[in-house]
Amino acid sequence: MNLLFIIDSPEELKAYKDTTVVMMRAAQKRGHTVHVCEQAGLSWTSQRVRASATRIALTDNDEDWYRRDGAAARELKDFGAVLMRKDPPFDMEYVASTWLLEEAERRGARVFNSPRALRDHNEKFAIAEFAHLSVPSLVTRDMEALQAFVDEHRDTVLKPLLGMGGAGIFRVKSDDPNRNVIVETLAEHGARSIMAQRFIPEIAQGDKRVIVIEGKPLPHVLARIPKKGETRGNLAVGAKGVAQPLSARDREIAEAMGPALAARGLLFVGLDVIGEWLTEVNVTSPTCFREIQDQTGFDCGSVFIEALEARIAAPRRG
Ligand SMILES: Nc1ncnc2c1ncn2[C@@H]1O[C@H](COP(=O)(O)OP(=O)(O)O)[C@@H](O)[C@H]1O
Ligand SMILES: [Mg+2]
C-alpha cells in the first residue's frame, strides 16, 4: 500500500529515537511505500482533500535516514492509509487539520488515529471516562475549588490541559509558600481550566508508558524514571527510559480501556500509568517504540503496521 504519514518537518525528526521513523521503516520492510507530508501541505478544494506529498525511501542509518523519491499532489483517498503523526501542540491549526482529515474520510480516505477522536479527546481529561482507574482529580478554572483540592489532598500535581512533555506541570503541597501563585498562573486567574490530581509517590519508580494497539497492550512498557531532583517522568525533561514487562495491573488498565478506544478509531494509544494508576491517555503522537525495541528486541513497528493492515482489510466501522 501507499501510506501517507503527516509529520513535522523531516529535517527535525530525530531518527535515533523517533517512533514515526520506526513505523515508516517497519512499513517499508513489509512492502509498503512511504510518503510524507507536512501539515502545511494539506488542502481542500473542489470536494477534494489533497496532500503535497513526497515519496521517501527509508535507510537504516539514523544520521541520514531517508531519500526523497519524488513529489506529487495527491488525494488522500488514493492512499491505502493516512497516518496523522504531527506532534502537538494541539492548537487551532491542529484542529483545522482534523477538519480536513475528517472530510478526507468522508471521501473515502482511511485515517488513523481517527481525526474526530483526535479532536474530541483531550489527553489529560480523557481519564474522566475511566476515572475508576485513576486517582482523585479535579478539572476546573475555579481557583477556590483548586485550592480546596490542594488542602484536601495535601500533595498534588497541577497540570495544564493542553501541555505535553512535562511542560507546565507543578507538584504542589498544601504548605507550599508559592501555591497561590502557582494556581493563579496556571489557571490564569480563573480564565483557564486546569487539572489538579493527587500526587502518586510511585512516580519515583517511573511513569510507565503502556502502548495499546488496536485495543491490546504490548508486552513491554517503558518506565520513564525521573532524573535526580525532578518530579517529571518525561523523556523530554531527562527521564531515563527502562523497558519492563507489562504488569498484571498495567494489563488490567489497558484491557479495560482498549475496546472503547479502538472502537472510536484510536488505533494507537500511549497510556501513562504511575504505580497502579492511569494518569494520561496520549493519542496525538505517542512515542517510546524505539526505546522498547532497542532494549527488548520486540518489534513494535511491525505490530503496529500489521494492525493497520488488518484495519484496512476489514470493512469500515462507524
Ligand atoms: N498524579 C501524579 N502523581 C505524581 N506525578 C505526576 C502525576 N501526574 C503527573 N505527574 C508527573 O508529571 C509528569 C507529566 O505528567 P502527564 O500528566 O503525563 O503530562 P504530560 O506528559 O503530557 O506533560 C509525569 O511523568 C509525572 O512525573
Ligand atoms: Mg505524559
Side-chain angles (χ1 to χ4, degrees):
M1 304 194 254
N2 283 300
L3 298 179
L4 175 65
F5 288 79
I6 301 169
I7 59 173
D8 291 293
S9 155
E11 280 68 42
E12 284 166 27
L13 294 196
K14 298 186 177 70
Y16 69 93
K17 63 171 190 185
D18 192 89
T19 294
T20 307
V21 173
V22 174
M23 290 174 168
M24 294 192 289
R25 282 178 174 152
Q28 179 172 286
K29 210 169 280 171
R30 291 184 61 80
H32 304 300
T33 305
V34 175
H35 306 251
V36 296
C37 148
E38 291 176 50
Q39 217 174 7
L42 293 174
S43 64
W44 167 84
T45 189
S46 313
Q47 306 189 3
R48 291 191 171 88
V49 180
R50 285 199 185 85
S52 333
T54 304
R55 192 173 75 218
I56 62 169
L58 284 294
T59 73
D60 286 329
N61 176 0
D62 288 341
E63 304 306 318
D64 180 20
W65 61 273
Y66 72 99
R67 301 261 175 279
R68 282 171 200 277
D69 266 355
R74 196 160 169 171
E75 264 194 83
L76 265 60
K77 72 173 175 57
D78 295 337
F79 290 94
V82 177
L83 292 142
M84 178 54 165
R85 290 287 304 169
K86 162 88 184 71
D87 268 342
F90 184 91
D91 54 12
M92 276 315 285
E93 263 314 295
Y94 192 98
V95 172
S97 293
T98 68
W99 293 330
L100 289 169
L101 293 173
E102 200 176 2
E103 175 58 18
E105 267 186 333
R106 266 192 288 274
R107 303 272 163 199
R110 306 295 303 271
V111 186
F112 300 97
N113 281 336
S114 145
R116 171 179 295 183
L118 285 176
R119 190 170 59 240
D120 282 356
H121 180 117
N122 176 267
E123 296 184 327
K124 300 290 182 308
F125 191 69
I127 62 163
E129 188 180 347
F130 309 99
H132 60 291
L133 303 171
S134 193
V135 289
S137 306
L138 166 71
V139 172
T140 186
R141 52 195 263 187
D142 178 341
M143 294 200 294
E144 275 182 34
L146 290 163
Q147 295 289 6
F149 186 92
V150 176
D151 284 331
E152 182 187 348
H153 295 281
R154 307 181 84 83
D155 197 353
T156 64
V157 172
L158 302 187
K159 7 186 171 180
L161 291 177
L162 290 175
M164 59 168 292
I169 305 237
F170 286 79
R171 176 176 178 183
V172 182
K173 295 189 193 180
S174 53
D175 62 357
D176 188 323
N178 289 313
R179 60 179 273 186
N180 294 345
V181 175
I182 294 170
V183 169
E184 284 167 15
T185 305
L186 276 181
E188 294 176 4
H189 288 270
R192 185 167 71 143
S193 298
I194 65 167
M195 173 173 280
Q197 193 164 67
R198 190 168 82 197
F199 179 76
I200 308 169
E202 288 84 356
I203 183 58
Q205 284 89 60
D207 181 350
K208 289 179 285 176
R209 166 54 50 84
V210 180
I211 294 172
V212 181
I213 294 174
E214 194 63 279
K216 294 188 228 35
L218 296 191
H220 305 278
V221 307
L222 193 74
R224 293 156 301 162
I225 299 167
K227 68 177 184 195
K228 209 160 174 272
E230 173 61 76
T231 303
R232 298 165 300 168
N234 295 92
L235 297 178
V237 292
K240 182 171 173 229
V242 179
Q244 294 175 354
L246 186 79
S247 72
R249 175 62 174 170
D250 298 337
R251 177 182 298 283
E252 183 186 342
I253 292 173
E255 288 180 349
M257 304 171 63
L261 298 173
R264 60 187 76 138
L266 292 169
L267 183 65
F268 177 38
V269 178
L271 308 178
D272 286 351
V273 174
I274 304 178
E276 307 267 274
W277 308 108
L278 174 72
T279 56
E280 196 188 16
V281 187
N282 295 279
V283 297
T284 48
S285 186
T287 60
C288 296
F289 269 18
R290 181 65 189 258
E291 293 82 356
I292 292 175
Q293 210 153 298
D294 284 352
Q295 291 180 41
T296 67
F298 185 85
D299 190 352
C300 304
S302 295
V303 172
F304 174 72
I305 297 297
E306 282 169 34
L308 178 70
E309 290 166 359
R311 265 281 173 146
I312 299 304
R316 280 173 77 124
R317 306 183 204 172

